Amino acid sequence: MRVAMIGTGYVGLVSGACFADFGHVVTCVDKDELKIERLRQNIIPIFEPGLDDLVATNARDGRLKFAVDGAQAIREADAVFIAVGTPSRRGDGHADLSYVYAAAEEIAGLIEGFTVIVTKSTVPVGTGDEIERIIRERRPDADFAVVSNPEFLREGAAIDDFKRPDRVVVGTDSERARLVMAELYRPLNLNETPILFTGRRTSELIKYAANAFLAMKITFINEMADLCETLGADVQQVARGIGLDNRIGSRFLHAGPGYGGSCFPKDTLALVRTATDAGSPVRLIETTVAVNDARKKAMANRVADALGGSVAGKTVGVLGLTFKPNTDDMRDAPSLDIVPELLKGGATVKAFDPEGMKEAATLLPDIQYCDGPYDAVAGADVVLILTEWDQFRALDLDRVKLLMNAPVMVDLRNIYSAPDMKVRGFSYSSIGRPSES
């Protein structure tokens, strides 16, 4: 089948490359000429394991193309995917749908023959109705169907998530659209992947509900971590104890500094706004948003506590800046709340991240960026682990201790053992576990 993918951000580029790898002919369209030219040269704008090879292979074989002008690709397409950004709108937290509606306007003037227009972007309930209205108003003669097909891609594991998903959700009442979508995803039949066909509004809500539930699960275990610290319990054992219950499951039960990234913060906020406007507020999600925001801001206090109450005049070596490992994404990363608080308290901050420093430098310009983890901890009064990159899990701790002014570690990802750190002579604090000094 022929596919036009409007937008070459995280979702659009990964989805386009994977559809091409399924054997479809895909054209990824973006208004950014430099970005398109670089993609043609296989210069990938994001870090995602395996994506560069996937793009190169399918571009070489002629199944994946990149274009600034999408007119021809849209005219020839069986399916046109809208995969543009929907950031939080400034001031009110609603999803900014201006890029989605601009794409709909452009698509309306170009489609020929029956075309399935698929919303891959995360959008509030009812957006598909508005897209259909825009296109119908512009092209009363057009033969098309608007479909919701939300993405469920984890950064750092997006290719595997696309090719081996837990499920595919398709929202449409059109039988012809169902057939087109079934054909697009037919390669997943080998894995017996469930394809859930629903109404369009239901599909739109499924995406928000899924992200809100996962964000709530993270926030729940973070609050349990705080309780563990007060009562002398171990949150990792609590998480294991409840995660072995099949009704709960172990995933997303990892205590830390709070969730961040491109999805959970904006999607929970958008769901709150949508529910409030509909007169059916979602109190659990409202609380989740508030608790998570407060948690990220409070994490700097843990560093101050480890240093006797103040970071003034101290050097903090920060390991990890991105919101999670295996990505260069800095959007709503906890570091964006924690590092400024450390600077405000009078600390000097040295930092290293394997992939995120280029983006971080534009957001956190007042810190020193280092060439590696040992450079970051050299001369530090405390080392702060913010992101659980694999290379931070097996540091030469004897070397770290020798390089630091004092052997103090604040581990916000619980990647080390408190008893082991005590044996090695570190003053060590973590999340939801008894401290060892």
Side-chain angles (χ1 to χ4, degrees):
M1 303 193 81
R2 304 190 78 85
V3 173
M5 186 71 62
I6 311 301
T8 60
Y10 195 90
V11 173
L13 187 56
V14 171
S15 299
C18 288
F19 274 132
D21 210 47
F22 283 171
H24 303 302
V25 178
V26 180
T27 301
C28 290
V29 181
D30 201 290
K31 299 295 186 185
D32 188 332
E33 295 185 22
L34 178 60
K35 189 177 186 181
I36 291 296
E37 183 55 38
R38 290 169 70 86
L39 282 168
R40 288 170 177 164
Q41 299 172 34
N42 199 42
I43 301 174
I44 309 301
I46 57 174
F47 176 74
E48 176 63 35
L51 185 58
D52 51 352
D53 290 339
L54 196 69
V55 169
T57 298
N58 286 282
R60 181 196 64 211
D61 294 345
R63 291 186 298 273
L64 182 62
K65 302 173 184 177
F66 301 98
V68 175
D69 183 354
Q72 181 178 348
I74 293 170
R75 279 194 292 266
E76 295 176 350
D78 299 293
V80 180
F81 283 78
I82 298 175
V84 297
T86 55
S88 290
R89 198 166 63 194
R90 292 191 178 210
D92 61 9
H94 281 287
D96 182 351
L97 299 175
S98 57
Y99 301 111
V100 172
Y101 294 149
E105 290 277 3
E106 181 178 358
I107 292 165
L110 295 169
I111 54 176
E112 294 181 359
F114 178 66
T115 307
V116 177
I117 299 161
V118 188
T119 308
K120 200 70 172 166
S121 303
T122 300
V123 296
V125 176
T127 302
D129 299 350
E130 181 62 13
I131 292 172
E132 182 173 344
R133 187 198 65 76
I134 289 170
I135 297 172
R136 185 68 65 197
E137 189 175 86
R138 176 91 182 270
R139 286 282 305 281
D141 62 317
D143 189 12
F144 70 95
V146 176
V147 170
S148 168
N149 176 217
E151 54 84 16
F152 301 98
L153 306 179
R154 295 169 299 159
E155 294 189 37
I159 293 170
D160 189 63
D161 284 347
F162 194 98
K163 292 188 170 186
R164 284 168 282 276
D166 296 325
R167 78 295 200 196
V168 173
V169 176
V170 176
T172 181
D173 294 323
S174 164
E175 185 58 32
R176 287 192 296 171
R178 284 171 60 114
L179 293 174
V180 169
M181 297 302 291
E183 180 62 21
L184 280 171
Y185 284 106
R186 184 170 55 82
L188 297 181
N189 291 348
L190 184 64
N191 299 329
E192 299 183 344
T193 299
I195 299 183
L196 175 63
F197 287 100
T198 74
R200 193 165 59 203
R201 285 183 164 233
T202 300
S203 174
E204 292 168 340
L205 185 54
I206 284 171
K207 169 64 177 179
Y208 277 115
N211 278 356
F213 184 85
L214 295 176
M216 189 168 59
K217 197 172 180 181
I218 293 169
T219 304
F220 170 82
I221 201 62
N222 283 338
E223 292 216 306
M224 288 299 102
D226 291 345
L227 184 58
C228 283
E229 290 172 8
T230 302
L231 300 178
D234 186 327
V235 73
Q236 288 182 307
Q237 294 178 16
V238 170
R240 179 165 172 76
I242 64 175
L244 288 170
D245 187 327
N246 290 330
R247 297 169 301 174
I248 297 173
S250 62
R251 295 174 69 181
F252 290 85
L253 287 179
H254 301 287
Y259 62 76
S262 62
C263 294
F264 289 178
K266 75 177 182 66
D267 291 353
T268 49
L269 195 55
L271 180 59
V272 167
R273 295 294 182 261
T274 297
T276 300
D277 288 352
S280 182
V282 283
R283 301 301 187 199
L284 281 173
I285 311 307
E286 290 176 13
T287 302
T288 295
V289 172
V291 169
N292 188 69
D293 288 347
R295 183 175 189 79
K296 290 192 288 186
K297 289 178 172 59
M299 286 294 109
N301 294 336
R302 291 177 177 253
V303 182
D305 291 343
L307 292 172
S310 173
V311 297
K314 303 294 186 179
T315 297
V316 182
V318 174
L319 299 183
L321 294 166
T322 54
F323 85 97
K324 64 180 288 188
N326 295 321
T327 181
D328 58 355
D329 199 338
M330 286 291 299
R331 284 175 287 186
D332 279 295
S335 61
L336 298 179
D337 288 292
I338 298 168
V339 170
E341 287 298 314
L342 295 173
L343 295 172
K344 191 185 302 181
T348 298
V349 176
K350 301 170 64 181
F352 171 73
D353 188 282
E355 296 293 339
M357 290 195 293
K358 181 179 179 181
E359 178 65 20
T362 66
L363 302 168
L364 299 169
D366 299 324
I367 66 176
Q368 178 184 337
Y369 292 93
C370 300
D371 294 330
Y374 298 106
D375 186 18
V377 304
D381 298 289
V382 59
V383 57
L384 172 63
I385 298 178
L386 276 183
T387 313
E388 65 275 32
W389 287 91
D390 283 346
Q391 63 179 274
F392 301 154
R393 295 178 180 274
L395 294 170
D396 181 340
L397 294 172
D398 292 332
R399 181 181 176 187
V400 170
K401 185 177 177 181
L402 286 172
L403 288 169
M404 295 180 68
N405 289 338
V408 181
M409 179 182 286
V410 177
D411 179 2
L412 298 186
R413 297 295 181 174
N414 290 354
I415 64 177
Y416 286 101
S417 158
D420 183 54
M421 295 300 287
K422 180 181 180 180
V423 169
R424 291 175 179 272
F426 278 81
S427 173
Y428 175 80
S429 62
S430 56
I431 299 289
R433 302 186 299 180
S435 295
E436 296 281 352
S437 299

